[in-house]
Amino acid sequence: MPLLSSADCDAIILSLKVALTATLISLPLGFLYAYLMTFFRFRAKVLLEVLVNLPLTLPPVVMGYLLLVSLGRNGWLAPLLDLFGVRLIFNWKAAVLASAIVGFPLLVRSIRIAMEGIDGRLVQASRTLGAGPVDTLLSVILPLSVSGVVSGASLMFARSLGEFGATIIVAGNMPGSTQTIPLAIYDYASSPGGERAALSLCAVAVGISVFVLSGHEALVKRLARRT
Amino acid sequence: MELSLNLRKSFGGPFNLDLDCTASGSQVGIFGASGSGKSTLVRLIAGLERPEEGEIWLDGECLFSSKRGINVPPQRRCISLVFQDACLFPHLSVEANLRYGYKRSRAGRRSVDFATLVSVLQLGELLGRGVNRLSGGERQRVALGRAILANPRLLLMDEPLSALDDGLKLPIIHYLKRAGERFGIPYLFISHSLLEIRLMTDRVISMAGGRVLAQTSPEELARERMGGSQVGYINVLQLEKLRKMGGLYVYRWGLEELFVSAGDEEPMAVFELSSRDIILFTRHPEAVSARNLLKCTVVDTFPSGNKVGVELRCGHETLIAEVVVQAADDLAIQARNEVYAVIKAASFRRLS
């Protein structure tokens, strides 16, 4: 019997696909959000801050349930989704959404820390040298916060790989279509005789995490050497 | 350059800025102690901050007007800023820093080209280096080059020398002045150092507490402030080294020779000498320990606080000394009198 069944392989591939998609979609949004929160003052700032950070403190199951009731067939966002012809529950896109929402505050936190470390006068200097706000964002703020972007993205990717509570509720646990590594392990752990398969998947999860974190360390070190 | 300011801005606390003045000329200084509102003024002119009300005009163009709802954004004001501590972009090389503003300047306005600037500011050997491997003086030279290459119509220098060691200031002053003149870019030089203002500018606006106190020439300002100043009036002397004698250096100053303790082997040197370190005698003092005895003519006297400033002519050179009012009366110092100025060799302080 092979160490990993084909369903396990599907789960691994799906996990990577969900985590990667969630991270890639969140990156530009997270960057813009961090930029707004760092460099601008506006009224709804505190409210926005609380909303974005809520998934950090709420149990993921609560997040999943809230997503389910708002995106489900009779949810309040259903008409909007119907308009675009998309379905965001019980498919892999739902898993992406769950991961994105739960991982977003981690991504933003890292980027903001990096942006807050940028000397405001560098931004002013670029403006007086003829750069508009977008130009300054791309030519000064982005390169100077790139280490935060890298850290945030790796953190978010790793968090997405481990996302369980929100995913199981909003995406379900269907082998081959929405079953990610944690959900598969959960299945094995609750069925008799599944220990070996569960352990193999655990090993894969550890392997991927170690790979992501060491890749992150190496990248950050390289960036630090460059500046 | 003609810059008209009529501005008000409050900061919620007791400090507020309320200015109404016009600065014209190509080398204008803004002088004031820290907290007088100079740096805020710089940011308002550059467009980095917004006044509550008022107007800013530069060479006939309105940059800000609260009445007419005009607020030209900083990138379109064509006003470059040189900060106190260079503020070079750490992720770019020296060359990329220099070219940052140049790339973004309008092609029609480009009168300064890269190669000329690099040679005027002697930046050639720095181009390939990372900005973190530059000394303080080199960083400030690159910052100046970056600002000039943006081809601005006005250069704002906000305390560009404050972060530098004393010995580095004079060479940088030389670069700042030379670049401004060579490329025909007018500048506004902001400083809390009267000496820097005198070396860099020919008109000065003095500020305190967010208000304009006066607009004069740097020389007048220095004389006016002499009486109240801790260091008196600073005479700046450009000297040519002649020889070394014992422990002292002999320099030529106009037609006179001066003995200086703090000399060195450089052929030319700039020294400062406080008005307080000059003692005046109406008759030749037969024996004094001080090494320098100069016969001078009084050109003028001026009151400054509880002191009297005495402008002396010594050959073709001018020297400002100070005496207390009673001494001026006792010695009957007045224009066209002949006096002897006595200066210790240790009183000269090297500037360069």
Side-chain angles (χ1 to χ4, degrees), chain B residues 3 20-25 28-29 203-207 212-218 220-221 224:
Chain B
L3 181 67
D20 189 359
C21 65
T22 299
S24 51
V28 181
R203 289 297 294 168
V204 60
I205 295 170
S206 59
M207 283 180 72
V212 168
L213 292 183
Q215 202 182 135
T216 56
S217 74
E220 275 172 54
L221 184 64
E224 190 186 298

Side-chain angles (χ1 to χ4, degrees), chain B residues 48-331:
Chain B
L48 298 169
E49 259 182 64
R50 205 189 146 98
E52 265 138 36
E53 58 164 330
E55 296 196 330
I56 302 174
W57 288 77
L58 176 61
D59 295 331
E61 192 195 324
C62 183
L63 297 180
F64 178 84
S65 168
S66 53
K67 257 189 231 133
R68 297 199 278 162
I70 297 175
N71 186 18
V72 179
Q75 70 270 24
R76 276 196 263 132
R77 292 196 179 190
C78 290
I79 297 176
S80 292
L81 191 48
V82 179
F83 293 86
Q84 184 173 331
D85 42 1
C87 287
L88 299 176
F89 300 124
H91 58 294
L92 299 177
S93 69
V94 169
E95 176 161 358
N97 263 285
L98 287 170
R99 288 193 190 274
Y100 191 92
Y102 186 75
K103 276 196 286 191
R104 288 163 175 82
S105 63
R106 257 175 279 158
R109 275 196 56 86
R110 287 179 190 165
S111 56
V112 183
D113 73 284
F114 188 78
T116 320
L117 178 109
V118 166
S119 79
V120 169
L121 292 181
Q122 298 175 345
L123 296 170
E125 57 184 271
L126 309 180
L127 289 182
R129 269 199 241 170
V131 293
N132 295 326
R133 294 207 196 106
L134 300 177
S135 69
E138 288 168 340
R139 291 173 68 83
Q140 209 50 291
R141 242 156 71 206
V142 174
L144 174 67
R146 181 178 72 173
I148 289 175
L149 268 174
N151 285 279
R153 53 185 171 177
L154 173 64
L155 201 55
L156 294 174
M157 304 190 201
D158 188 6
E159 303 264 6
L161 304 167
S162 301
L164 299 178
D165 293 339
D166 276 354
L168 274 175
K169 286 183 182 176
L170 207 65
I172 296 290
I173 285 180
H174 166 78
Y175 281 117
L176 292 173
K177 258 195 106 126
R178 183 158 152 214
E181 283 159 9
R182 170 75 172 71
F183 299 113
I185 300 173
Y187 59 74
L188 211 56
F189 182 86
I190 288 89
S191 180
H192 66 275
S193 153
L194 192 50
L195 184 61
E196 288 172 11
I197 292 274
R198 280 170 57 204
L199 293 171
M200 283 294 298
T201 67
D202 45 33
R203 289 297 294 168
V204 60
I205 295 170
S206 59
M207 283 180 72
R211 307 283 186 279
V212 168
L213 292 183
Q215 202 182 135
T216 56
S217 74
E219 186 58 34
E220 275 172 54
L221 184 64
R223 291 185 183 196
E224 190 186 298
R225 293 179 58 86
M226 181 193 78
S229 160
Q230 297 270 330
V231 291
Y233 176 101
I234 301 296
N235 291 287
V236 178
L237 285 71
Q238 176 119 32
L239 305 183
E240 183 191 340
K241 187 184 170 241
L242 293 176
R243 60 189 179 276
K244 202 174 166 186
M245 217 171 92
L248 295 179
Y249 292 82
V250 185
Y251 284 90
R252 188 204 306 282
W253 181 57
L255 305 171
E256 304 285 342
E257 285 188 359
L258 291 178
F259 291 84
V260 174
S261 330
D264 67 9
E265 300 308 319
E266 295 292 317
M268 298 293 285
V270 180
F271 288 91
E272 59 174 51
L273 172 66
S274 165
S275 56
R276 303 194 156 181
D277 291 330
I278 304 171
I279 302 172
L280 299 183
F281 291 81
T282 43
R283 279 188 299 274
H284 191 290
E286 291 302 322
V288 281
S289 64
R291 287 298 87 196
N292 297 294
L293 178 67
L294 305 170
K295 192 176 176 188
C296 316
T297 312
V298 176
V299 178
D300 195 9
T301 60
F302 56 91
S304 181
N306 60 346
K307 303 276 177 56
V308 173
V310 185
E311 183 179 340
L312 304 169
R313 175 59 46 89
C314 198
H316 303 299
E317 308 291 331
T318 301
L319 209 57
I320 303 285
E322 66 174 69
V323 292
V324 291
V325 177
Q326 291 88 334
D329 291 344
D330 288 352
L331 298 179

Side-chain angles (χ1 to χ4, degrees), chain A residues 119 121-122 124-133 135-136 139-140 143-144 227, chain B residues 43 46 48 74-75 79 81 83 85 87-91 100-101 104 132 146 150:
Chain A
D119 185 346
R121 286 169 314 162
L122 292 175
Q124 297 183 344
S126 87
R127 297 299 304 279
T128 60
L129 289 167
D135 190 350
T136 301
S139 65
V140 177
L144 289 178
T227 51
Chain B
R43 287 199 299 279
L48 298 169
Q75 70 270 24
I79 297 176
L81 191 48
F83 293 86
D85 42 1
C87 287
L88 299 176
F89 300 124
H91 58 294
Y100 191 92
R104 288 163 175 82
N132 295 326
R146 181 178 72 173

